[in-house]
Amino acid sequence: MQGKGRYGKYLHAAETLVGFLMVNLAFLIASLSDEFVVGFRWKVTWLIVNISYLPVAYLRANLNQTRATHLDIIVKHAFEAAFIHALFFFSILAFLDSWVHNMSFYLWFYALLFTLLPVGWISTRLCTKHLRKKGINYTRAIIIGNGDTAIRLQEEMLSDPGYGYRVLGIFASSQGIIPDSCYLGTLDNLERFVIDNNVDEIYYAISGEDAETFRRVVKIADDSVVQFYYVPQVSPYVTRVGELSNIGRVPILSIRKNPLKNPLNRALKRGFDLLFSTTFLIVSPVVFIPIVIAVKLSSPGPIFFKQKRTGYLGREFYCYKFRTMKVNASSDSKQATRNDSRITKVGKFLRHTSMDELPQFINVWLGDMSVVGPRPHMIKQTTDYTKLIDKYMVRHMIKPGITGWAQITGYRGQTDELWQMEKRVECDVWYIEHWNFFLDLKIIVLTVINAIRGEENAF
């Protein structure tokens, strides 16, 4: 019991302290670039720099973060914090008319702050996750539920030991589909279990229409001073609540949010796609020429493989790849399999390193694809899986990508069984609903790392 959640209150304090340290480190380094920031002017500017971080610290402390917050979200928050700091910093300087007249100071300071603040916060979170893996700052949780939602919640909470959840099990009115190893019994045993096991959090995953059971569990939580969370009963494809609002006293949840419906987000993503693809295509001959020669010598046929695939809003487009197979009649209908006889020796290397996908930067430049997004599927696959998988077409709400969340989480390559494609669709829908620019950067970095290592499922 010693390590149980009692250190959680220090996390925000640690992040705040690290934030102040990064701000002051950036200020000290930037001061070296400006010989006029000395004496009294240095002290005043230093004071304003720290005062301007107070609103950031306040907003950060009131930010609703969970133990499962991803690092790309932390980077996003760090960039937002740097912008907020700049707003207050320049406002105070203007009010006091206490400007530093050497522009290099401001450029150095904010270039450093935009670098150091994400590094500091990420380091703090990684240290926290490390401690949680060691058994420090964990939280004891139980789940109330009869069905899939309770099981899915437990799987997510235990998917990363760094989250620090110790799920003691699931209470349900009857065992039903709950595995033996998780089932703790009926609600008759709940109150005694909560007291005996010093439970911190209760997650209620039963329909809210069961008012009597709901009130009973809430009362147990209140009497035991345990945090209570209500888990909505929604489809496994709904991985994020878009917006919570009310009609009178009735809460309303929107279950589908697409951040890329925002014109500014779309412009940011398209601008990055153009910059990234243009830069790559300029230097691409260094990589393309050796591959072109190797493909041409490997077997008779064209250098590039062009195939119709399903794109944005279900529109068809031609997707480009380096040819990795011998010319065959089933290339548009039969997916590549492990040890596929159609794949050439050169093609096997290109597929294992994902270098066969590089011509798709042409698709990105043309606007048919994005650098990051759900992978485009063959027309036949789209036709087949639309009938078999619920929400399959949701993955076409944004442009397809060269790489995506499904690919870096292990769901790429051959899909012999339906569950494999279902998992891929789940990942794609998750990406659509959680999109942000820093998530794209994270996926790109992990894709490059995987390509260097070579991927087992790439064949």
Side-chain angles (χ1 to χ4, degrees), residues 309-310 377-387 392-393 395-396:
R309 298 201 176 183
T310 309
H377 291 163
M378 293 185 294
I379 304 301
K380 184 181 184 303
Q381 285 181 309
T382 300
T383 303
D384 293 342
Y385 285 123
T386 300
K387 301 173 183 176
Y392 177 84
M393 289 304 294
R395 66 194 302 278
H396 301 98

Side-chain angles (χ1 to χ4, degrees), residues 4-303:
K4 179 176 158 307
R6 62 191 180 93
Y7 298 110
K9 60 185 179 182
Y10 299 117
L11 176 58
H12 284 306
E15 283 193 343
T16 301
L17 177 60
V18 168
F20 273 109
L21 288 174
M22 296 300 102
V23 166
N24 282 275
L25 180 59
F27 174 75
L28 289 173
I29 298 174
S31 298
L32 300 176
S33 69
D34 191 345
E35 60 184 9
F36 298 105
V37 187
V38 294
F40 180 73
R41 173 61 62 84
W42 187 92
K43 294 177 183 178
V44 171
T45 308
W46 172 80
L47 183 61
I48 297 173
V49 160
N50 281 276
I51 290 174
S52 299
Y53 188 75
L54 292 176
V56 174
Y58 174 79
L59 293 172
R60 186 73 179 163
N62 288 278
L63 189 65
N64 183 23
Q65 289 193 103
T66 69
R67 290 170 169 262
T69 300
H70 287 219
L71 295 184
D72 56 279
I73 299 298
I74 294 175
V75 174
K76 176 175 175 284
H77 289 164
F79 272 64
E80 291 171 349
F83 277 114
I84 292 171
H85 183 280
L87 175 64
F88 279 89
F89 183 54
F90 289 122
S91 297
I92 295 173
L93 289 178
F95 179 76
L96 297 177
D97 193 20
S98 181
W99 298 98
V100 175
H101 295 292
N102 190 345
M103 184 59 67
S104 65
F105 168 79
Y106 300 113
L107 294 176
W108 271 104
F109 175 71
Y110 279 105
L112 288 163
L113 188 60
F114 273 92
T115 303
L116 292 174
L117 200 55
V119 170
W121 283 357
I122 287 175
S123 299
T124 304
R125 183 52 62 105
L126 290 177
C127 288
T128 303
K129 292 186 73 171
H130 176 73
L131 291 174
R132 286 170 177 165
K133 289 178 182 179
K134 295 291 186 181
I136 299 174
N137 184 233
Y138 64 84
T139 185
R140 290 174 175 264
I142 58 173
I143 300 171
I144 314 296
N146 297 308
D148 290 333
T149 300
I151 296 173
R152 284 185 4 243
L153 177 60
Q154 179 177 255
E155 290 173 351
E156 290 295 331
M157 295 171 80
L158 298 178
S159 64
D160 185 345
Y163 293 161
Y165 289 110
R166 291 197 177 177
V167 182
L168 303 179
I170 301 174
F171 281 91
S173 56
S174 60
Q175 182 168 355
I177 64 171
I178 309 298
D180 292 339
S181 59
C182 306
Y183 184 60
L184 296 175
T186 66
L187 294 180
D188 294 334
N189 306 318
L190 177 62
E191 186 170 11
R192 186 75 263 159
F193 185 92
V194 169
I195 295 171
D196 290 345
N197 292 274
N198 202 15
V199 172
D200 296 301
E201 298 174 350
I202 295 176
Y203 290 82
Y204 187 88
I206 300 177
S207 171
E209 297 301 318
D210 186 354
E212 182 179 347
T213 302
F214 186 85
R215 284 195 296 267
R216 179 183 175 190
V217 175
V218 170
K219 186 178 188 309
I220 291 173
D222 290 343
D223 291 346
S224 306
V225 197
V226 172
Q227 187 69 48
F228 177 89
Y229 295 96
Y230 176 70
V231 184
Q233 306 297 294
V234 294
S235 162
Y237 295 102
V238 179
T239 56
R240 185 178 188 179
V241 174
E243 183 179 347
L244 176 63
S245 58
N246 290 78
I247 297 179
R249 293 185 297 170
V250 179
I252 305 296
L253 296 176
S254 65
I255 63 170
R256 180 76 61 212
K257 183 175 182 180
N258 180 1
L260 287 172
K261 283 187 175 180
N262 185 311
L264 292 178
N265 288 341
R266 285 204 308 273
L268 175 62
K269 189 169 176 65
R270 180 57 183 157
F272 177 77
D273 285 342
L274 278 173
L275 177 63
F276 198 102
S277 60
T278 301
T279 303
F280 176 81
L281 290 174
I282 289 173
V283 300
S284 63
V286 177
V287 180
F288 277 22
I289 290 174
I291 295 177
V292 166
I293 295 172
V295 171
K296 198 63 181 174
L297 294 176
S298 66
S299 67
I303 295 166

Side-chain angles (χ1 to χ4, degrees), residues 291 295 322 324 346-356:
I291 295 177
V295 171
F322 283 117
T324 58
V346 170
K348 184 177 181 180
F349 171 77
L350 294 178
R351 297 174 78 94
H352 189 61
T353 58
S354 299
M355 294 177 71
D356 61 320

Side-chain angles (χ1 to χ4, degrees), residues 320-359:
Y320 297 99
K321 298 177 66 174
F322 283 117
R323 183 174 59 84
T324 58
M325 293 184 176
K326 301 168 187 174
V327 176
N328 64 93
S330 59
S331 58
D332 288 329
S333 57
K334 183 181 177 183
Q335 189 181 20
T337 58
R338 193 181 296 275
N339 301 319
D340 196 316
S341 61
R342 297 173 299 167
I343 300 176
T344 64
K345 290 183 179 179
V346 170
K348 184 177 181 180
F349 171 77
L350 294 178
R351 297 174 78 94
H352 189 61
T353 58
S354 299
M355 294 177 71
D356 61 320
E357 313 282 0
L358 294 180

Side-chain angles (χ1 to χ4, degrees), residues 383-414:
T383 303
D384 293 342
Y385 285 123
T386 300
K387 301 173 183 176
L388 297 172
I389 300 177
D390 188 27
K391 301 295 189 296
Y392 177 84
M393 289 304 294
V394 172
R395 66 194 302 278
H396 301 98
M397 289 174 62
I398 64 173
K399 290 180 182 179
I402 296 177
T403 184
W405 183 249
Q407 282 62 51
I408 65 163
T409 50
Y411 297 106
R412 65 162 294 174
Q414 191 173 352

